[in-house]
Amino acid sequence: MPFFAVCFLAGLKAIPADQYEAAAIDGASSWSRFVHVTLPGLRHVITVTVTLSSIWTFNNFDLVWLLTQGGPGDVTAPYVLVAYSKAILQLQYGAGAAVTLVMLPVIGGLVFVLVRLLRQDSGVKLPGRTRAARWPGAGRKVLPWIVTAMVTGLLAWASPEIFWKAAVVLGVILLIVAGIGRVVSVLEDRGGRRASSLVTNLGSGVALAGLLAFVLGPLYWIAVTAFKSEGQVVTHDNDLWPTPWTVDQFTALFTNQPFGRWYLNTVLVSAASTAVALVCAALAGYALARLRFRGAQGFTVTVLLTYVMPGALLFIPLYQLLIGVRLTDSLWSLVLTYPTFTIPFATWLLTGYFASIPIDLEEAALVDGATRVQAFRRVVLPWPSPACWRLRCSP
């Protein structure tokens, strides 16, 4: 949820305010502005964010391993845990690789469809697009819903109990949001600006309070647990409020262990790897969103398929490569390894933001005599700065 919220916030920053002003002048309600201005302005960001988050969850390993380890009886074991067990624990590299490759076609088809939709909406003419150009406009619009219906049907058939529980929760949330939006629109139409503002603020406050309670709950537990003694942690006494408060954990951390060195290593590696990923992803994302070149479609799919590969298995070939270049046991090994995971993610994230920027701005700069590099540096880069800030703040 925080990942979605931050990405959508960055996308909202890129929507010109004059569009909302023009819609308000034309008499559009809050709900109409959301449907006809906000959602179309976020369509590229939504496509990329949902795709990346789905793949991220699909390949999630650490959370499952920490919570259940696939048990009891492999009931909660996803495919990535099976691949890890085969390749890492049992040293059956071939079996682990086979598990991963078997799952790639499952996402590959969806990835291809999403790539086509993203690049078609961005106005970039792809090589070999004549067949796609024959699709009627309604067909291209209904295709995402067909894919969604197929995936939804597959989930409902595979695990009906979990699916219907999630559907009920999602339905309740959507009904509440739609009800609040309808009430606000009716009040605005009747001229009750103060009442509509009150309902809007109340609904926003309740939604934000629920979101913060859900997201910050674990962080609060971590914060108070850091000020507990070992006895309180083991016996679970006063879980929500330490009694008494103690700083023994921090004292042991700074006196008995080289925490300062660890912290410095983290800062150096994260800063260097993020800088490398940001530069490479900005150039690659702009090329995928704007430029026309042979093989662009295949390159885009390849980048995302690289992100599909579970990181738990990529450590095996990466470690072998680092041994070959004699970079093991050094910070440089981490600086070179982290971008292999972050560049595909950052490239796709920035591709969505670059595609959401009106192409007229770049064309105006090119007409005024700017080169492609100057237009990229002076027009495109300043525009999605919230997205770049999101990448710089990523761990």
Side-chain angles (χ1 to χ4, degrees):
M1 292 172 63
F3 170 73
F4 273 72
V6 173
C7 291
F8 292 160
L9 177 61
L12 289 172
K13 296 290 186 180
I15 300 178
D18 55 0
Q19 295 185 10
Y20 291 99
E21 296 174 358
I25 292 175
D26 292 339
S29 62
S30 300
W31 180 254
S32 298
R33 292 195 296 269
F34 175 76
V35 173
H36 299 290
V37 178
T38 302
L39 287 182
L42 289 176
R43 65 185 185 275
H44 300 294
V45 179
I46 292 175
T47 300
V48 174
T49 304
V50 171
T51 303
L52 294 180
S53 179
S54 300
I55 296 174
W56 195 351
T57 307
F58 197 82
N59 288 331
N60 194 291
F61 169 80
D62 50 355
L63 187 62
V64 178
W65 179 260
L66 292 174
L67 292 178
T68 67
Q69 295 188 4
D74 292 335
V75 174
T76 61
Y79 92 96
V80 66
L81 194 62
V82 177
Y84 171 81
S85 176
K86 294 288 186 181
I88 304 299
L89 299 182
Q90 303 176 21
L91 298 179
Q92 299 177 7
Y93 300 143
V99 173
T100 303
L101 291 179
V102 166
M103 298 306 298
L104 287 182
V106 177
I107 303 181
L110 180 60
V111 168
F112 181 79
V113 172
L114 291 175
V115 170
R116 297 287 296 187
L117 291 174
L118 182 62
R119 293 185 63 84
Q120 287 171 4
D121 290 341
S122 63
V124 177
K125 184 177 180 181
L126 297 176
R129 190 182 167 185
T130 55
R131 182 178 300 178
R134 297 173 186 172
W135 293 4
R140 291 197 300 270
K141 292 181 179 180
V142 79
L143 182 60
W145 297 105
I146 296 176
V147 175
T148 303
M150 293 175 59
V151 175
T152 303
L154 178 62
L155 293 176
W157 171 79
S159 183
E161 182 179 356
I162 296 178
F163 171 79
W164 289 116
K165 288 180 180 179
V168 169
V169 173
L170 181 61
V172 171
I173 294 175
L174 292 178
L175 286 176
I176 294 175
V177 173
I180 295 176
R182 184 61 179 171
V183 170
V184 173
S185 299
V186 170
L187 292 176
E188 286 186 349
D189 293 339
R190 294 181 178 179
R193 294 185 177 274
R194 180 175 299 179
S196 64
S197 177
L198 178 62
V199 174
T200 301
N201 294 334
L202 180 61
S204 301
V206 172
L208 289 177
L211 176 63
L212 289 177
F214 182 78
V215 174
L216 298 181
L219 297 180
Y220 171 79
W221 185 90
I222 292 175
V224 297
T225 303
F227 292 94
K228 295 179 182 179
S229 63
E230 286 295 334
Q232 294 182 61
V233 175
V234 173
T235 59
H236 296 282
D237 291 337
N238 302 313
D239 280 338
L240 299 181
W241 192 259
T243 305
W245 288 70
T246 179
V247 293
D248 293 343
Q249 306 291 353
F250 296 96
T251 303
L253 182 65
F254 286 97
T255 57
N256 301 332
Q257 303 178 44
F259 181 77
R261 182 60 186 176
W262 299 342
Y263 189 82
L264 180 61
N265 291 341
T266 302
V267 171
L268 294 176
V269 172
S270 60
S273 58
T274 301
V276 173
L278 183 59
V279 172
C280 296
L283 297 175
Y286 178 77
L288 295 178
R290 286 288 190 262
L291 304 183
R292 291 181 293 177
F293 55 94
R294 185 178 300 275
Q297 185 85 9
F299 179 75
T300 307
V301 175
T302 302
V303 170
L304 193 55
L305 287 180
T306 305
Y307 188 72
V308 171
M309 296 293 291
L313 294 183
L314 291 180
F315 286 119
I316 300 174
L318 287 175
Y319 183 69
Q320 296 295 329
L321 290 174
L322 292 175
I323 291 178
V325 296
R326 299 181 180 180
L327 284 179
T328 54
D329 299 329
S330 67
L331 294 181
W332 281 107
S333 62
L334 300 177
V335 172
L336 295 178
T337 301
Y338 282 153
T340 61
F341 301 98
T342 55
I343 286 179
F345 161 76
T347 299
W348 260 84
L349 188 64
L350 289 178
T351 299
Y353 287 106
F354 289 147
S356 65
I357 298 175
I359 196 172
D360 299 340
L361 298 175
E362 296 174 63
E363 293 177 348
L366 295 176
V367 170
D368 290 339
T371 63
R372 175 68 69 174
V373 176
Q374 290 174 336
F376 171 71
R377 182 170 57 88
R378 298 182 180 180
V379 177
V380 178
L381 276 185
W383 192 283
S385 55
C388 297
W389 178 253
R390 167 69 178 87
L391 294 178
R392 289 196 295 267
C393 293
S394 299

